[in-house]
Structures are given as C-alpha cells and as structure tokens.
Amino acid sequence: SDAIPAHPLSREAVEIYKKKLKSDGAILFHVSNRYLRVRELVTALASDAKLPARYRTDDDDRELGKARSIYVIAALDADAIRGLAPLNWMQVPETTSVEPWTDDYSNLWAILRWR
C-alpha cells in the first residue's frame, strides 16, 4: 500500500532522530509513493530542522519487478553527505510548498499528487 504513517514524518520525530545521530551520521528516508508527494514533505522537515539534505531518484527499472525509487538523506553536518553528489544525489530545493507536519498537524491534501 502507499499509505504512510504520520508520526514518523513529524517535526518531533525528526528532533528525536537528530538526538540519536552521531556527528557524521545521516537519516535515510525512502519516499517513493505513487499518490503522495512524500519527498516534498521530508524536504520541508529537513529544512525546518536545519538539516542539509539531498535526494536521489532511482529510475533503473531494467530488472523484472523493480520499480522507481526515491530517497532523501539528511545529516547534521553537510560534510557527511557531500560525497554523494557524484553518485546522482541532488541538492533538495530550498523552498517547498508543503508545511512540515507535527504530532498535532498533518495535511494529506497538501501532499496529494493531483494528476
């Protein structure tokens, strides 16, 4: 299913993740979703938490049964993820139209893919 739990994608959850990270550690989010713009939500959360972040789209679907995958990686220190750039990890956009979710606020309509 493409359903996502709201609590692990909240401002409060990201603060907990930050406390658990080593100085050179990173958080990897798998954000593939056919119906929701999860990458934009995670980008907003990283920006809100002042975490440098990058994203990668894996379009290599030559293997039978493999689908497109999208990932966002965020770190406490930009040096921890700087080396990913040559591996097709792109800088996340500085602004997003999505508000970060909190334990008290989530808005599925804001991240819905309107086709």
Side-chain angles (χ1 to χ4, degrees):
S1 128
D2 274 345
I4 60 169
H7 180 70
L9 295 176
S10 69
R11 178 180 286 149
E12 294 83 358
V14 171
E15 287 304 314
I16 292 170
Y17 305 153
K18 284 173 57 176
K19 290 177 185 174
K20 301 292 183 181
L21 277 179
K22 292 183 178 181
S23 60
D24 62 346
I27 308 163
L28 182 66
F29 296 90
H30 179 247
V31 297
S32 304
N33 194 291
R34 289 176 284 190
Y35 308 108
L36 302 172
R37 297 179 305 130
V38 182
R39 181 178 65 93
E40 288 84 347
L41 171 60
V42 171
T43 297
L45 287 165
S47 177
D48 181 68
K50 310 277 190 279
L51 296 174
R54 293 190 172 272
Y55 76 95
R56 183 176 194 279
T57 301
D58 180 3
D59 287 326
D60 184 9
D61 59 359
R62 291 175 289 192
E63 292 182 41
L64 183 63
K66 186 170 186 287
R68 179 178 185 228
S69 298
I70 306 169
Y71 306 92
V72 174
I73 191 166
L76 294 174
D77 185 352
D79 287 339
I81 59 174
R82 190 177 320 277
L84 295 175
L87 304 173
N88 296 324
W89 285 84
M90 296 168 277
Q91 190 70 37
V92 296
E94 297 239 352
T95 60
T96 179
S97 61
V98 177
E99 290 293 320
W101 288 2
T102 69
D103 286 346
D104 297 324
Y105 167 83
S106 62
N107 184 350
L108 284 174
W109 289 111
I111 64 171
L112 189 63
R113 284 189 197 281
W114 298 95
R115 294 183 200 214

